[in-house]
Amino acid sequence: MSPIRLALVGLGKIARDQHLPAIAATEGIELVAIASRNAALDGLPHFTTLEALLASDVAFDAVALCTPPQGRREQAALALSAGKHVLLEKPPGATVSEIGPLIETAREHGLTLFATWHSRFAPAVEPARALLAKRHINTVTITWKEDVRVWHPGQDWIFAPGGLGVFDPAINALSILTRILPHPVFVTGAELAFPANRAAPIAATVEMADSNNIPIRADLDFLQTGPQSWDIRVETDAGAVVLSGGGARLTQDGVVLSDAPEAEYAGIYKHFTGLIEAGQSDVDLSPLALVADAFLLGRRVTVDAFDY
């Protein structure tokens, strides 16, 4: 079978750090073009917009959209209407409601739409899911704290409306949470800390529960210095189950059950090629819905202005 010819839209930090090496390492997919306003890649056709790429004579089958979420719906709709399969970086869009029409368009055209949650492909996530399916869960605590100046240097879009602020990284935790817990999760309350000069929160606490009323708390911070924290601790009838390192490591009462090298984006592209071959889509909006609900229920507090 011929490889899937992929065009990458948006060539920023996440595309260079994660997408390019994962594409190169994945059988059955080949990068054939770049569409980016600010960057190009030696040896590949380059266009400043997706519209220009679609109007060219470059043959391709699919696009990976790595642009900020605020404009992703328009790009996805354009690509699907042109008969291209679409991979969406996380979050899949700036709102929950804008994704529904994309799902319908993909279905009508017989195309694949894949809303990626890269943290679900971390090596310890599926072992954690299997372990927790056999345990009685008492409480869940999420600690997701990182330094925005390190991971998103100068990226003002992340604090613009639709950029999600601290929820841009924290949605990774929510994507893991909604994968490993056996029952649906919903938000019960939140406090969101907005810098005086920004339109998205820089820190937050979110209270949640599942359908069995298990209490879940998330402590989120975008100004963490020193060691970064990407941890989910689940207290169970058999002790503490801890996913650390963003889902890379799983322990139970301090005993290591899983600890493997990170390969999240390789997993994403393997899954994407499999979806295309099977004629299927994969669009789970539950992590984005939790973020939207945190904004709906959250009490807003104003904190010091933030500048890079």
Side-chain angles (χ1 to χ4, degrees):
M1 183 175 179
S2 299
I4 297 161
R5 298 166 297 183
L6 178 77
L8 192 62
V9 182
L11 192 58
K13 179 174 170 51
I14 193 67
R16 291 185 179 276
D17 291 351
Q18 299 290 351
H19 286 262
L20 292 181
I23 294 165
T26 301
E27 292 185 8
I29 196 162
E30 176 187 7
L31 184 60
V32 297
I34 299 291
S36 174
R37 289 180 300 173
N38 303 313
L41 203 62
D42 290 344
L44 286 179
H46 171 256
F47 304 86
T48 56
T49 66
L50 175 59
E51 290 86 345
L53 169 60
L54 289 169
S56 75
D57 59 0
V58 174
F60 63 103
D61 310 300
V63 298
L65 299 181
C66 303
T67 50
Q70 290 94 329
R72 207 173 286 154
R73 184 202 66 79
E74 292 86 351
Q75 292 174 331
L78 185 64
L80 290 169
S81 296
K84 312 302 180 184
H85 307 288
V86 174
L87 180 151
L88 300 168
E89 241 297 354
K90 65 86 189 170
T95 70
V96 179
S97 59
E98 70 187 29
I99 309 302
L102 299 179
I103 297 172
E104 183 61 20
T105 300
R107 186 193 65 78
E108 290 175 352
H109 288 75
L111 297 167
T112 291
L113 179 66
F114 178 28
T116 66
W117 300 109
H118 65 81
S119 290
R120 287 184 174 176
F121 292 85
V125 170
E126 289 306 309
R129 174 182 166 90
L131 179 63
L132 293 174
K134 299 179 287 187
R135 299 286 182 257
H136 176 79
I137 299 171
N138 298 317
T139 64
V140 182
T141 303
I142 297 169
T143 306
W144 221 259
K145 300 181 177 183
E146 65 178 58
D147 188 344
V148 64
R149 291 184 173 95
V150 172
W151 300 100
H152 296 278
Q155 296 179 10
D156 287 310
W157 65 264
I158 208 166
F159 288 109
L164 299 188
V166 72
F167 285 100
D168 180 82
I171 205 170
N172 296 331
L174 300 178
S175 72
I176 295 174
L177 179 76
T178 51
R179 178 63 184 168
I180 65 175
L181 293 191
H183 301 290
V185 175
F186 54 93
V187 175
T188 58
E191 181 173 288
L192 312 178
F194 282 74
N197 61 337
R198 300 289 180 169
I202 201 162
T205 58
V206 183
E207 303 290 344
M208 294 169 279
D210 74 352
S211 53
N212 288 335
N213 292 319
I214 293 170
I216 304 164
R217 178 184 173 91
D219 292 311
L220 317 173
D221 191 0
F222 229 167
L223 293 174
Q224 176 84 340
T225 57
Q228 312 284 278
S229 303
W230 301 294
D231 306 321
I232 300 176
R233 182 183 181 92
V234 185
E235 298 291 347
T236 78
D237 57 345
V241 174
V242 179
L243 266 172
S244 57
R249 193 169 190 261
L250 177 66
T251 63
Q252 182 172 330
D253 277 350
V255 178
V256 178
L257 303 180
S258 179
D259 192 358
E262 183 274 326
E264 297 176 11
Y265 280 82
I268 280 175
Y269 278 99
K270 181 179 180 181
H271 188 51
F272 188 43
T273 58
L275 288 171
I276 292 172
E277 290 170 2
Q280 299 174 350
S281 289
D282 182 357
V283 184
D284 177 15
L285 298 180
S286 57
L288 185 60
L290 289 176
V291 174
D293 288 349
F295 276 90
L296 280 170
L297 291 178
R299 182 174 72 91
R300 176 173 176 154
V301 298
T302 301
V303 297
D304 291 344
F306 171 79
D307 292 296
Y308 285 100

